[in-house]
């Protein structure tokens, strides 16, 4: 297991598609991926009164619903971030001089839903969310980083911590998204590496919530 979060477990995996797509997830054979599966917690008490917390899988229909929602949020986050960069590039091209600093270029992981079938029937046995794996330079200081929390629009890092400059830039992207959508939506829970981001959330006005799920 790679790790366990508040709602999903993450496991190492490999993906080979046939035929190979020209872009997106699975563009080469044996691609390293992260296999994610949602769970819920259930606490039980024994005769002595001690509590035990168990991690349980969802029923198949609920599992599919959870992962479709997760992938849909990632889809919209990718679109919002792409739109942000398009606006930034438009402003740079319209300016008389280029910016005096380098603009970070990050993107969200490629992802897809995988359905596991039985060899003996056409029934779906399990559902997984497959994501491009976020990798790090083993010789560097970079680790999986939470740049902006979903409960705070400011950087989650201190000024002397690795990735702080990117966290400030991501806070700036939130401002663009909020302003250009007229307060309807912006990306939150920015996390991952200084090149690839994963597991976003989107904070929205309640009038657009049902269009995103």
């Amino acid at each position: 297991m790679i790790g366990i979060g508040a709602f999903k477990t993450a496991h190492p995996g490999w993906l080979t598609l046939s035929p190979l797509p020209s872009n997106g997830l699975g563009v080469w054979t044996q691609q390293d991926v992260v296999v994610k599966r949602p769970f819920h917690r259930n606490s039980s008490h024994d005769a002595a009164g001690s509590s035990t917390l168990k991690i349980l899988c969802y029923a198949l229909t609920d599992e599919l619903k959870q992962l479709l929602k997760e992938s849909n949020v990632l889809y919209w986050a990718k679109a919002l971030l792409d739109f942000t960069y398009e606006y930034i590039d438009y402003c740079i091209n319209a300016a008389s001089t280029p910016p005096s600093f380098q603009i970070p270029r990050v993107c969200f992981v490629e992802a897809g839903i995988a359905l596991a079938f039985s060899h003996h029937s056409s029934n779906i046995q399990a559902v997984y969310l497959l994501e491009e794996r976020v990798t790090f330079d083993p010789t560097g200081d970079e680790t999986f980083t939470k740049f902006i929390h979903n409960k705070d629009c400011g950087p989650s890092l201190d000024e002397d911590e690795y990735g702080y400059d990117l966290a400030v830039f991501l806070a700036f992207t939130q401002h663009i998204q909020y302003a250009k959508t007229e307060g309807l939506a912006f990306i939150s829970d920015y996390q991952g590496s200084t090149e690839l981001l994963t597991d976003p959330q989107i904070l929205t006005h309640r009038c657009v919530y049902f269009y995103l799920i």
Side-chain angles (χ1 to χ4, degrees):
M1 182 184 293
I2 296 173
I4 181 169
F7 308 105
K8 297 186 298 293
T9 56
H11 309 264
W14 299 268
L15 176 66
T16 298
L17 298 177
S18 180
L20 295 177
S22 58
N23 54 65
L25 198 66
V27 291
W28 63 84
T29 60
Q30 292 291 300
Q31 181 180 1
D32 287 331
V33 295
V34 177
V35 182
K36 295 185 175 180
R37 198 171 187 184
F39 66 85
H40 61 96
R41 302 176 188 269
N42 182 43
S43 59
S44 59
H45 301 272
D46 57 23
S50 59
S51 177
T52 302
L53 189 63
K54 294 182 179 180
I55 293 177
L56 303 173
C57 292
Y58 285 97
L60 186 59
T61 53
D62 294 329
E63 188 172 49
L64 179 59
K65 186 184 301 183
Q66 291 278 340
L67 290 182
L68 286 175
K69 183 185 298 185
E70 189 89 9
S71 61
N72 207 19
V73 170
L74 182 58
Y75 172 86
W76 282 105
K78 289 167 72 74
L80 273 172
L81 188 59
D82 287 346
F83 164 76
T84 304
Y85 276 117
E86 288 176 4
Y87 179 74
I88 291 172
D89 292 339
Y90 168 80
C91 292
I92 291 174
N93 293 332
S96 57
T97 58
S100 58
F101 51 88
Q102 185 175 0
I103 295 174
R105 295 285 171 172
V106 295
C107 62
F108 284 102
V109 294
E110 299 289 349
I113 297 292
L115 306 178
F117 290 88
S118 168
H119 287 291
H120 308 291
S121 72
S122 58
N123 295 330
I124 299 174
Q125 302 298 306
V127 186
Y128 305 97
L129 176 64
L130 305 186
E131 289 186 0
E132 180 182 6
R133 188 158 187 174
V134 180
T135 57
F136 308 96
D137 182 357
T139 63
D141 298 327
E142 188 176 16
T143 59
F144 192 92
T145 303
K146 175 86 76 171
F147 296 102
I148 296 179
H149 197 275
N150 58 5
K151 294 183 180 179
D152 190 353
C153 57
S156 297
L157 304 173
D158 294 328
E159 292 186 25
D160 59 346
E161 290 186 284
Y162 183 86
Y164 174 76
D165 290 344
L166 177 57
V168 172
F169 171 76
L170 294 174
F172 163 71
T173 67
Q174 290 182 317
H175 174 77
I176 291 178
Q177 294 156 12
Y178 184 83
K180 302 306 287 185
T181 63
E182 298 182 351
L184 292 181
F186 64 90
I187 301 169
S188 186
D189 222 10
Y190 276 118
Q191 56 191 313
S193 73
T194 53
E195 295 181 354
L196 279 176
L197 303 171
T198 184
D199 280 339
Q201 297 292 320
I202 298 179
L203 300 185
T204 70
H205 189 281
R206 60 186 178 183
C207 71
V208 299
Y209 169 75
F210 293 103
Y211 292 97
L212 295 176
I213 60 173

